Amino acid sequence: NAGVTQTPKFQVLKTGQSMTLQCAQDMNHEYMSWYRQDPGMGLRLIHYSVGAGITDQGEVPNGYNVSRSTTEDFPLRLLSAAPSQTSVYFCASSFPGGVPGTEAFFGQGTRLTVV
Amino acid sequence: RKEVEQDPGPFNVPEGATVAFNCTYSNSASQSFFWYRQDCRKEPKLLMSVYSSGNEDGRFTAQLNRASQYISLLIRDSKLSDSATYLCVVNPYGGSQGNLIFGKGTKLSVKP
């Protein structure tokens, strides 16, 4: 079972470059989300989607774009990378509801460094 | 006040010890609650959901006190393999959003 697949696992960017973090899930989950995890800050929600064609902002959306053209894919785009975006990024998916039985499954993470 | 607060630890305990983690949440309308486990440099994974009546899974017991807005996790007979960061997670909205709010995590280190 593939679950949630994130690519790349590691990336170094120069300030001002753009890139797309890929996320795909094969569990037919409607709900997908992107988090960033920084030391001492915990996981913070960047953007989320409750289904194909529907996206919304989370707690820290600035500097990031998302789209959801299919149920399976939810890419995260960094428009113009900044050192403050150095972080570990996790994609997650689940069935809607957020209740017991609808656990969130996470990808393995992307470690991004912006220099 | 942070939405979900945890003692960051670290908790350093010997094998076989019992250890308890606490968590408080600020939104009294929160719908559902979870404990996730995160190993070093790995993704978070669900450890257990937390039910109003309390629930147990082997050596792990979770409790919820809605009146005090307090969640706990008890680990009995600690193993070396329990060393990890434990994340308290709350869904404040329920319904179809499924947005999860994470605490910063409590680090546990179990020593031989």
mmCIF file with all atom_site columns, all heavy atoms in Angstrom, chain A residues 9-15 17 19 78 81-89 110-115:
data_model
loop_
_atom_site.group_PDB
_atom_site.id
_atom_site.type_symbol
_atom_site.label_atom_id
_atom_site.label_alt_id
_atom_site.label_comp_id
_atom_site.label_asym_id
_atom_site.label_entity_id
_atom_site.label_seq_id
_atom_site.pdbx_PDB_ins_code
_atom_site.Cartn_x
_atom_site.Cartn_y
_atom_site.Cartn_z
_atom_site.occupancy
_atom_site.B_iso_or_equiv
_atom_site.pdbx_formal_charge
_atom_site.auth_seq_id
_atom_site.auth_comp_id
_atom_site.auth_asym_id
_atom_site.auth_atom_id
_atom_site.pdbx_PDB_model_num
ATOM 1   N N   . LYS A 1 9   ? 12.071 14.187 -1.263 1.00 0.00 ? 9   LYS A N   1
ATOM 2   C CA  . LYS A 1 9   ? 12.298 14.028 0.172  1.00 0.00 ? 9   LYS A CA  1
ATOM 3   C C   . LYS A 1 9   ? 13.206 15.134 0.706  1.00 0.00 ? 9   LYS A C   1
ATOM 4   O O   . LYS A 1 9   ? 13.094 15.537 1.860  1.00 0.00 ? 9   LYS A O   1
ATOM 5   C CB  . LYS A 1 9   ? 12.909 12.669 0.463  1.00 0.00 ? 9   LYS A CB  1
ATOM 6   C CG  . LYS A 1 9   ? 11.938 11.520 0.336  1.00 0.00 ? 9   LYS A CG  1
ATOM 7   C CD  . LYS A 1 9   ? 12.524 10.215 0.818  1.00 0.00 ? 9   LYS A CD  1
ATOM 8   C CE  . LYS A 1 9   ? 11.485 9.107  0.892  1.00 0.00 ? 9   LYS A CE  1
ATOM 9   N NZ  . LYS A 1 9   ? 10.717 8.912  -0.351 1.00 0.00 ? 9   LYS A NZ  1
ATOM 10  N N   . PHE A 1 10  ? 14.104 15.606 -0.110 1.00 0.00 ? 10  PHE A N   1
ATOM 11  C CA  . PHE A 1 10  ? 15.014 16.675 0.274  1.00 0.00 ? 10  PHE A CA  1
ATOM 12  C C   . PHE A 1 10  ? 15.111 17.671 -0.888 1.00 0.00 ? 10  PHE A C   1
ATOM 13  O O   . PHE A 1 10  ? 15.051 17.268 -2.052 1.00 0.00 ? 10  PHE A O   1
ATOM 14  C CB  . PHE A 1 10  ? 16.421 16.145 0.581  1.00 0.00 ? 10  PHE A CB  1
ATOM 15  C CG  . PHE A 1 10  ? 16.476 15.133 1.675  1.00 0.00 ? 10  PHE A CG  1
ATOM 16  C CD1 . PHE A 1 10  ? 16.394 13.779 1.389  1.00 0.00 ? 10  PHE A CD1 1
ATOM 17  C CD2 . PHE A 1 10  ? 16.599 15.524 2.994  1.00 0.00 ? 10  PHE A CD2 1
ATOM 18  C CE1 . PHE A 1 10  ? 16.437 12.828 2.399  1.00 0.00 ? 10  PHE A CE1 1
ATOM 19  C CE2 . PHE A 1 10  ? 16.647 14.585 4.018  1.00 0.00 ? 10  PHE A CE2 1
ATOM 20  C CZ  . PHE A 1 10  ? 16.552 13.232 3.717  1.00 0.00 ? 10  PHE A CZ  1
ATOM 21  N N   . GLN A 1 11  ? 15.280 18.950 -0.550 1.00 0.00 ? 11  GLN A N   1
ATOM 22  C CA  . GLN A 1 11  ? 15.439 19.958 -1.589 1.00 0.00 ? 11  GLN A CA  1
ATOM 23  C C   . GLN A 1 11  ? 16.165 21.155 -1.018 1.00 0.00 ? 11  GLN A C   1
ATOM 24  O O   . GLN A 1 11  ? 15.866 21.579 0.113  1.00 0.00 ? 11  GLN A O   1
ATOM 25  C CB  . GLN A 1 11  ? 14.065 20.380 -2.138 1.00 0.00 ? 11  GLN A CB  1
ATOM 26  C CG  . GLN A 1 11  ? 14.118 21.386 -3.264 1.00 0.00 ? 11  GLN A CG  1
ATOM 27  C CD  . GLN A 1 11  ? 14.640 20.775 -4.540 1.00 0.00 ? 11  GLN A CD  1
ATOM 28  O OE1 . GLN A 1 11  ? 14.207 19.714 -4.976 1.00 0.00 ? 11  GLN A OE1 1
ATOM 29  N NE2 . GLN A 1 11  ? 15.604 21.456 -5.148 1.00 0.00 ? 11  GLN A NE2 1
ATOM 30  N N   . VAL A 1 12  ? 17.101 21.695 -1.786 1.00 0.00 ? 12  VAL A N   1
ATOM 31  C CA  . VAL A 1 12  ? 17.751 22.952 -1.441 1.00 0.00 ? 12  VAL A CA  1
ATOM 32  C C   . VAL A 1 12  ? 17.410 23.951 -2.545 1.00 0.00 ? 12  VAL A C   1
ATOM 33  O O   . VAL A 1 12  ? 17.587 23.660 -3.733 1.00 0.00 ? 12  VAL A O   1
ATOM 34  C CB  . VAL A 1 12  ? 19.287 22.796 -1.324 1.00 0.00 ? 12  VAL A CB  1
ATOM 35  C CG1 . VAL A 1 12  ? 19.924 24.137 -1.005 1.00 0.00 ? 12  VAL A CG1 1
ATOM 36  C CG2 . VAL A 1 12  ? 19.632 21.769 -0.251 1.00 0.00 ? 12  VAL A CG2 1
ATOM 37  N N   . LEU A 1 13  ? 16.918 25.104 -2.147 1.00 0.00 ? 13  LEU A N   1
ATOM 38  C CA  . LEU A 1 13  ? 16.557 26.152 -3.084 1.00 0.00 ? 13  LEU A CA  1
ATOM 39  C C   . LEU A 1 13  ? 17.330 27.424 -2.782 1.00 0.00 ? 13  LEU A C   1
ATOM 40  O O   . LEU A 1 13  ? 17.690 27.664 -1.617 1.00 0.00 ? 13  LEU A O   1
ATOM 41  C CB  . LEU A 1 13  ? 15.063 26.484 -2.977 1.00 0.00 ? 13  LEU A CB  1
ATOM 42  C CG  . LEU A 1 13  ? 14.033 25.528 -3.535 1.00 0.00 ? 13  LEU A CG  1
ATOM 43  C CD1 . LEU A 1 13  ? 12.634 26.078 -3.296 1.00 0.00 ? 13  LEU A CD1 1
ATOM 44  C CD2 . LEU A 1 13  ? 14.257 25.298 -5.027 1.00 0.00 ? 13  LEU A CD2 1
ATOM 45  N N   . LYS A 1 14  ? 17.514 28.225 -3.816 1.00 0.00 ? 14  LYS A N   1
ATOM 46  C CA  . LYS A 1 14  ? 18.057 29.554 -3.595 1.00 0.00 ? 14  LYS A CA  1
ATOM 47  C C   . LYS A 1 14  ? 16.903 30.527 -3.390 1.00 0.00 ? 14  LYS A C   1
ATOM 48  O O   . LYS A 1 14  ? 15.810 30.353 -3.944 1.00 0.00 ? 14  LYS A O   1
ATOM 49  C CB  . LYS A 1 14  ? 18.914 29.983 -4.776 1.00 0.00 ? 14  LYS A CB  1
ATOM 50  C CG  . LYS A 1 14  ? 20.174 29.151 -4.940 1.00 0.00 ? 14  LYS A CG  1
ATOM 51  C CD  . LYS A 1 14  ? 21.017 29.657 -6.092 1.00 0.00 ? 14  LYS A CD  1
ATOM 52  C CE  . LYS A 1 14  ? 22.286 28.823 -6.227 1.00 0.00 ? 14  LYS A CE  1
ATOM 53  N NZ  . LYS A 1 14  ? 23.121 29.267 -7.369 1.00 0.00 ? 14  LYS A NZ  1
ATOM 54  N N   . THR A 1 15  ? 17.146 31.565 -2.629 1.00 0.00 ? 15  THR A N   1
ATOM 55  C CA  . THR A 1 15  ? 16.130 32.593 -2.408 1.00 0.00 ? 15  THR A CA  1
ATOM 56  C C   . THR A 1 15  ? 15.615 33.107 -3.747 1.00 0.00 ? 15  THR A C   1
ATOM 57  O O   . THR A 1 15  ? 16.401 33.413 -4.646 1.00 0.00 ? 15  THR A O   1
ATOM 58  C CB  . THR A 1 15  ? 16.719 33.754 -1.591 1.00 0.00 ? 15  THR A CB  1
ATOM 59  O OG1 . THR A 1 15  ? 17.107 33.246 -0.300 1.00 0.00 ? 15  THR A OG1 1
ATOM 60  C CG2 . THR A 1 15  ? 15.699 34.852 -1.387 1.00 0.00 ? 15  THR A CG2 1
ATOM 61  N N   . GLN A 1 17  ? 13.799 31.362 -5.919 1.00 0.00 ? 17  GLN A N   1
ATOM 62  C CA  . GLN A 1 17  ? 13.409 30.273 -6.809 1.00 0.00 ? 17  GLN A CA  1
ATOM 63  C C   . GLN A 1 17  ? 11.996 29.799 -6.455 1.00 0.00 ? 17  GLN A C   1
ATOM 64  O O   . GLN A 1 17  ? 11.525 29.972 -5.337 1.00 0.00 ? 17  GLN A O   1
ATOM 65  C CB  . GLN A 1 17  ? 14.379 29.095 -6.693 1.00 0.00 ? 17  GLN A CB  1
ATOM 66  C CG  . GLN A 1 17  ? 15.724 29.339 -7.365 1.00 0.00 ? 17  GLN A CG  1
ATOM 67  C CD  . GLN A 1 17  ? 16.613 28.111 -7.319 1.00 0.00 ? 17  GLN A CD  1
ATOM 68  O OE1 . GLN A 1 17  ? 16.737 27.441 -6.287 1.00 0.00 ? 17  GLN A OE1 1
ATOM 69  N NE2 . GLN A 1 17  ? 17.230 27.808 -8.452 1.00 0.00 ? 17  GLN A NE2 1
ATOM 70  N N   . MET A 1 19  ? 9.252  26.344 -6.726 1.00 0.00 ? 19  MET A N   1
ATOM 71  C CA  . MET A 1 19  ? 9.230  24.904 -6.890 1.00 0.00 ? 19  MET A CA  1
ATOM 72  C C   . MET A 1 19  ? 7.880  24.361 -6.442 1.00 0.00 ? 19  MET A C   1
ATOM 73  O O   . MET A 1 19  ? 7.106  25.063 -5.781 1.00 0.00 ? 19  MET A O   1
ATOM 74  C CB  . MET A 1 19  ? 10.339 24.212 -6.093 1.00 0.00 ? 19  MET A CB  1
ATOM 75  C CG  . MET A 1 19  ? 10.071 24.052 -4.624 1.00 0.00 ? 19  MET A CG  1
ATOM 76  S SD  . MET A 1 19  ? 11.105 22.785 -3.869 1.00 0.00 ? 19  MET A SD  1
ATOM 77  C CE  . MET A 1 19  ? 10.471 21.292 -4.608 1.00 0.00 ? 19  MET A CE  1
ATOM 78  N N   . LEU A 1 78  ? 5.695  26.747 -4.008 1.00 0.00 ? 78  LEU A N   1
ATOM 79  C CA  . LEU A 1 78  ? 6.361  27.902 -3.397 1.00 0.00 ? 78  LEU A CA  1
ATOM 80  C C   . LEU A 1 78  ? 6.625  28.893 -4.517 1.00 0.00 ? 78  LEU A C   1
ATOM 81  O O   . LEU A 1 78  ? 7.304  28.582 -5.496 1.00 0.00 ? 78  LEU A O   1
ATOM 82  C CB  . LEU A 1 78  ? 7.680  27.493 -2.737 1.00 0.00 ? 78  LEU A CB  1
ATOM 83  C CG  . LEU A 1 78  ? 7.582  26.889 -1.341 1.00 0.00 ? 78  LEU A CG  1
ATOM 84  C CD1 . LEU A 1 78  ? 6.941  25.508 -1.382 1.00 0.00 ? 78  LEU A CD1 1
ATOM 85  C CD2 . LEU A 1 78  ? 8.964  26.824 -0.707 1.00 0.00 ? 78  LEU A CD2 1
ATOM 86  N N   . ALA A 1 81  ? 10.859 31.420 -3.154 1.00 0.00 ? 81  ALA A N   1
ATOM 87  C CA  . ALA A 1 81  ? 11.329 30.868 -1.891 1.00 0.00 ? 81  ALA A CA  1
ATOM 88  C C   . ALA A 1 81  ? 12.084 31.909 -1.056 1.00 0.00 ? 81  ALA A C   1
ATOM 89  O O   . ALA A 1 81  ? 12.856 32.732 -1.581 1.00 0.00 ? 81  ALA A O   1
ATOM 90  C CB  . ALA A 1 81  ? 12.217 29.667 -2.148 1.00 0.00 ? 81  ALA A CB  1
ATOM 91  N N   . ALA A 1 82  ? 11.852 31.838 0.248  1.00 0.00 ? 82  ALA A N   1
ATOM 92  C CA  . ALA A 1 82  ? 12.520 32.710 1.209  1.00 0.00 ? 82  ALA A CA  1
ATOM 93  C C   . ALA A 1 82  ? 13.129 31.845 2.312  1.00 0.00 ? 82  ALA A C   1
ATOM 94  O O   . ALA A 1 82  ? 12.609 30.753 2.594  1.00 0.00 ? 82  ALA A O   1
ATOM 95  C CB  . ALA A 1 82  ? 11.525 33.693 1.811  1.00 0.00 ? 82  ALA A CB  1
ATOM 96  N N   . PRO A 1 83  ? 14.198 32.296 2.946  1.00 0.00 ? 83  PRO A N   1
ATOM 97  C CA  . PRO A 1 83  ? 14.807 31.510 4.025  1.00 0.00 ? 83  PRO A CA  1
ATOM 98  C C   . PRO A 1 83  ? 13.809 31.133 5.120  1.00 0.00 ? 83  PRO A C   1
ATOM 99  O O   . PRO A 1 83  ? 13.951 30.076 5.750  1.00 0.00 ? 83  PRO A O   1
ATOM 100 C CB  . PRO A 1 83  ? 15.905 32.437 4.544  1.00 0.00 ? 83  PRO A CB  1
ATOM 101 C CG  . PRO A 1 83  ? 16.307 33.240 3.353  1.00 0.00 ? 83  PRO A CG  1
ATOM 102 C CD  . PRO A 1 83  ? 15.025 33.484 2.601  1.00 0.00 ? 83  PRO A CD  1
ATOM 103 N N   . SER A 1 84  ? 12.789 31.962 5.344  1.00 0.00 ? 84  SER A N   1
ATOM 104 C CA  . SER A 1 84  ? 11.785 31.668 6.370  1.00 0.00 ? 84  SER A CA  1
ATOM 105 C C   . SER A 1 84  ? 10.932 30.435 6.026  1.00 0.00 ? 84  SER A C   1
ATOM 106 O O   . SER A 1 84  ? 10.198 29.921 6.865  1.00 0.00 ? 84  SER A O   1
ATOM 107 C CB  . SER A 1 84  ? 10.864 32.864 6.572  1.00 0.00 ? 84  SER A CB  1
ATOM 108 O OG  . SER A 1 84  ? 10.187 33.167 5.366  1.00 0.00 ? 84  SER A OG  1
ATOM 109 N N   . GLN A 1 85  ? 11.047 29.975 4.781  1.00 0.00 ? 85  GLN A N   1
ATOM 110 C CA  . GLN A 1 85  ? 10.307 28.783 4.370  1.00 0.00 ? 85  GLN A CA  1
ATOM 111 C C   . GLN A 1 85  ? 11.112 27.506 4.542  1.00 0.00 ? 85  GLN A C   1
ATOM 112 O O   . GLN A 1 85  ? 10.646 26.418 4.201  1.00 0.00 ? 85  GLN A O   1
ATOM 113 C CB  . GLN A 1 85  ? 9.830  28.925 2.922  1.00 0.00 ? 85  GLN A CB  1
ATOM 114 C CG  . GLN A 1 85  ? 8.781  30.030 2.760  1.00 0.00 ? 85  GLN A CG  1
ATOM 115 C CD  . GLN A 1 85  ? 8.324  30.211 1.340  1.00 0.00 ? 85  GLN A CD  1
ATOM 116 O OE1 . GLN A 1 85  ? 9.140  30.457 0.439  1.00 0.00 ? 85  GLN A OE1 1
ATOM 117 N NE2 . GLN A 1 85  ? 7.022  30.140 1.118  1.00 0.00 ? 85  GLN A NE2 1
ATOM 118 N N   . THR A 1 86  ? 12.312 27.638 5.065  1.00 0.00 ? 86  THR A N   1
ATOM 119 C CA  . THR A 1 86  ? 13.076 26.451 5.432  1.00 0.00 ? 86  THR A CA  1
ATOM 120 C C   . THR A 1 86  ? 12.315 25.709 6.514  1.00 0.00 ? 86  THR A C   1
ATOM 121 O O   . THR A 1 86  ? 12.026 26.272 7.572  1.00 0.00 ? 86  THR A O   1
ATOM 122 C CB  . THR A 1 86  ? 14.473 26.858 5.941  1.00 0.00 ? 86  THR A CB  1
ATOM 123 O OG1 . THR A 1 86  ? 15.201 27.421 4.855  1.00 0.00 ? 86  THR A OG1 1
ATOM 124 C CG2 . THR A 1 86  ? 15.218 25.653 6.496  1.00 0.00 ? 86  THR A CG2 1
ATOM 125 N N   . SER A 1 87  ? 11.988 24.462 6.228  1.00 0.00 ? 87  SER A N   1
ATOM 126 C CA  . SER A 1 87  ? 11.118 23.720 7.138  1.00 0.00 ? 87  SER A CA  1
ATOM 127 C C   . SER A 1 87  ? 11.007 22.277 6.663  1.00 0.00 ? 87  SER A C   1
ATOM 128 O O   . SER A 1 87  ? 11.558 21.896 5.633  1.00 0.00 ? 87  SER A O   1
ATOM 129 C CB  . SER A 1 87  ? 9.730  24.367 7.167  1.00 0.00 ? 87  SER A CB  1
ATOM 130 O OG  . SER A 1 87  ? 8.904  23.775 8.156  1.00 0.00 ? 87  SER A OG  1
ATOM 131 N N   . VAL A 1 88  ? 10.275 21.492 7.420  1.00 0.00 ? 88  VAL A N   1
ATOM 132 C CA  . VAL A 1 88  ? 9.870  20.158 6.982  1.00 0.00 ? 88  VAL A CA  1
ATOM 133 C C   . VAL A 1 88  ? 8.386  20.232 6.636  1.00 0.00 ? 88  VAL A C   1
ATOM 134 O O   . VAL A 1 88  ? 7.577  20.687 7.450  1.00 0.00 ? 88  VAL A O   1
ATOM 135 C CB  . VAL A 1 88  ? 10.105 19.090 8.057  1.00 0.00 ? 88  VAL A CB  1
ATOM 136 C CG1 . VAL A 1 88  ? 9.682  17.718 7.531  1.00 0.00 ? 88  VAL A CG1 1
ATOM 137 C CG2 . VAL A 1 88  ? 11.577 19.075 8.475  1.00 0.00 ? 88  VAL A CG2 1
ATOM 138 N N   . TYR A 1 89  ? 8.046  19.804 5.443  1.00 0.00 ? 89  TYR A N   1
ATOM 139 C CA  . TYR A 1 89  ? 6.672  19.889 4.949  1.00 0.00 ? 89  TYR A CA  1
ATOM 140 C C   . TYR A 1 89  ? 6.057  18.501 4.909  1.00 0.00 ? 89  TYR A C   1
ATOM 141 O O   . TYR A 1 89  ? 6.648  17.549 4.402  1.00 0.00 ? 89  TYR A O   1
ATOM 142 C CB  . TYR A 1 89  ? 6.650  20.506 3.549  1.00 0.00 ? 89  TYR A CB  1
ATOM 143 C CG  . TYR A 1 89  ? 7.040  21.965 3.556  1.00 0.00 ? 89  TYR A CG  1
ATOM 144 C CD1 . TYR A 1 89  ? 8.387  22.343 3.529  1.00 0.00 ? 89  TYR A CD1 1
ATOM 145 C CD2 . TYR A 1 89  ? 6.077  22.967 3.631  1.00 0.00 ? 89  TYR A CD2 1
ATOM 146 C CE1 . TYR A 1 89  ? 8.752  23.674 3.573  1.00 0.00 ? 89  TYR A CE1 1
ATOM 147 C CE2 . TYR A 1 89  ? 6.430  24.304 3.667  1.00 0.00 ? 89  TYR A CE2 1
ATOM 148 C CZ  . TYR A 1 89  ? 7.771  24.647 3.636  1.00 0.00 ? 89  TYR A CZ  1
ATOM 149 O OH  . TYR A 1 89  ? 8.131  25.969 3.676  1.00 0.00 ? 89  TYR A OH  1
ATOM 150 N N   . THR A 1 110 ? 8.991  16.385 3.330  1.00 0.00 ? 110 THR A N   1
ATOM 151 C CA  . THR A 1 110 ? 10.005 16.991 2.455  1.00 0.00 ? 110 THR A CA  1
ATOM 152 C C   . THR A 1 110 ? 10.807 17.973 3.290  1.00 0.00 ? 110 THR A C   1
ATOM 153 O O   . THR A 1 110 ? 10.236 18.889 3.888  1.00 0.00 ? 110 THR A O   1
ATOM 154 C CB  . THR A 1 110 ? 9.353  17.745 1.282  1.00 0.00 ? 110 THR A CB  1
ATOM 155 O OG1 . THR A 1 110 ? 8.623  16.839 0.466  1.00 0.00 ? 110 THR A OG1 1
ATOM 156 C CG2 . THR A 1 110 ? 10.423 18.447 0.450  1.00 0.00 ? 110 THR A CG2 1
ATOM 157 N N   . ARG A 1 111 ? 12.105 17.751 3.338  1.00 0.00 ? 111 ARG A N   1
ATOM 158 C CA  . ARG A 1 111 ? 12.976 18.668 4.094  1.00 0.00 ? 111 ARG A CA  1
ATOM 159 C C   . ARG A 1 111 ? 13.500 19.711 3.116  1.00 0.00 ? 111 ARG A C   1
ATOM 160 O O   . ARG A 1 111 ? 14.292 19.396 2.240  1.00 0.00 ? 111 ARG A O   1
ATOM 161 C CB  . ARG A 1 111 ? 14.125 17.899 4.730  1.00 0.00 ? 111 ARG A CB  1
ATOM 162 C CG  . ARG A 1 111 ? 13.642 16.943 5.770  1.00 0.00 ? 111 ARG A CG  1
ATOM 163 C CD  . ARG A 1 111 ? 14.748 16.231 6.521  1.00 0.00 ? 111 ARG A CD  1
ATOM 164 N NE  . ARG A 1 111 ? 14.140 15.387 7.545  1.00 0.00 ? 111 ARG A NE  1
ATOM 165 C CZ  . ARG A 1 111 ? 13.763 15.805 8.732  1.00 0.00 ? 111 ARG A CZ  1
ATOM 166 N NH1 . ARG A 1 111 ? 13.991 17.054 9.093  1.00 0.00 ? 111 ARG A NH1 1
ATOM 167 N NH2 . ARG A 1 111 ? 13.193 14.991 9.599  1.00 0.00 ? 111 ARG A NH2 1
ATOM 168 N N   . LEU A 1 112 ? 13.041 20.925 3.295  1.00 0.00 ? 112 LEU A N   1
ATOM 169 C CA  . LEU A 1 112 ? 13.378 22.013 2.380  1.00 0.00 ? 112 LEU A CA  1
ATOM 170 C C   . LEU A 1 112 ? 14.293 23.005 3.080  1.00 0.00 ? 112 LEU A C   1
ATOM 171 O O   . LEU A 1 112 ? 14.001 23.461 4.186  1.00 0.00 ? 112 LEU A O   1
ATOM 172 C CB  . LEU A 1 112 ? 12.111 22.732 1.917  1.00 0.00 ? 112 LEU A CB  1
ATOM 173 C CG  . LEU A 1 112 ? 12.334 23.968 1.047  1.00 0.00 ? 112 LEU A CG  1
ATOM 174 C CD1 . LEU A 1 112 ? 12.913 23.566 -0.306 1.00 0.00 ? 112 LEU A CD1 1
ATOM 175 C CD2 . LEU A 1 112 ? 11.041 24.745 0.852  1.00 0.00 ? 112 LEU A CD2 1
ATOM 176 N N   . THR A 1 113 ? 15.379 23.344 2.391  1.00 0.00 ? 113 THR A N   1
ATOM 177 C CA  . THR A 1 113 ? 16.291 24.385 2.874  1.00 0.00 ? 113 THR A CA  1
ATOM 178 C C   . THR A 1 113 ? 16.367 25.473 1.808  1.00 0.00 ? 113 THR A C   1
ATOM 179 O O   . THR A 1 113 ? 16.596 25.184 0.636  1.00 0.00 ? 113 THR A O   1
ATOM 180 C CB  . THR A 1 113 ? 17.696 23.822 3.131  1.00 0.00 ? 113 THR A CB  1
ATOM 181 O OG1 . THR A 1 113 ? 17.620 22.764 4.089  1.00 0.00 ? 113 THR A OG1 1
ATOM 182 C CG2 . THR A 1 113 ? 18.616 24.906 3.656  1.00 0.00 ? 113 THR A CG2 1
ATOM 183 N N   . VAL A 1 114 ? 16.159 26.707 2.246  1.00 0.00 ? 114 VAL A N   1
ATOM 184 C CA  . VAL A 1 114 ? 16.266 27.849 1.332  1.00 0.00 ? 114 VAL A CA  1
ATOM 185 C C   . VAL A 1 114 ? 17.482 28.673 1.758  1.00 0.00 ? 114 VAL A C   1
ATOM 186 O O   . VAL A 1 114 ? 17.564 29.136 2.902  1.00 0.00 ? 114 VAL A O   1
ATOM 187 C CB  . VAL A 1 114 ? 14.991 28.712 1.352  1.00 0.00 ? 114 VAL A CB  1
ATOM 188 C CG1 . VAL A 1 114 ? 15.121 29.863 0.348  1.00 0.00 ? 114 VAL A CG1 1
ATOM 189 C CG2 . VAL A 1 114 ? 13.771 27.867 1.042  1.00 0.00 ? 114 VAL A CG2 1
ATOM 190 N N   . VAL A 1 115 ? 18.393 28.832 0.822  1.00 0.00 ? 115 VAL A N   1
ATOM 191 C CA  . VAL A 1 115 ? 19.646 29.560 1.157  1.00 0.00 ? 115 VAL A CA  1
ATOM 192 C C   . VAL A 1 115 ? 19.693 30.902 0.464  1.00 0.00 ? 115 VAL A C   1
ATOM 193 O O   . VAL A 1 115 ? 18.953 31.153 -0.503 1.00 0.00 ? 115 VAL A O   1
ATOM 194 C CB  . VAL A 1 115 ? 20.875 28.714 0.785  1.00 0.00 ? 115 VAL A CB  1
ATOM 195 C CG1 . VAL A 1 115 ? 20.878 27.413 1.582  1.00 0.00 ? 115 VAL A CG1 1
ATOM 196 C CG2 . VAL A 1 115 ? 20.897 28.425 -0.709 1.00 0.00 ? 115 VAL A CG2 1
#
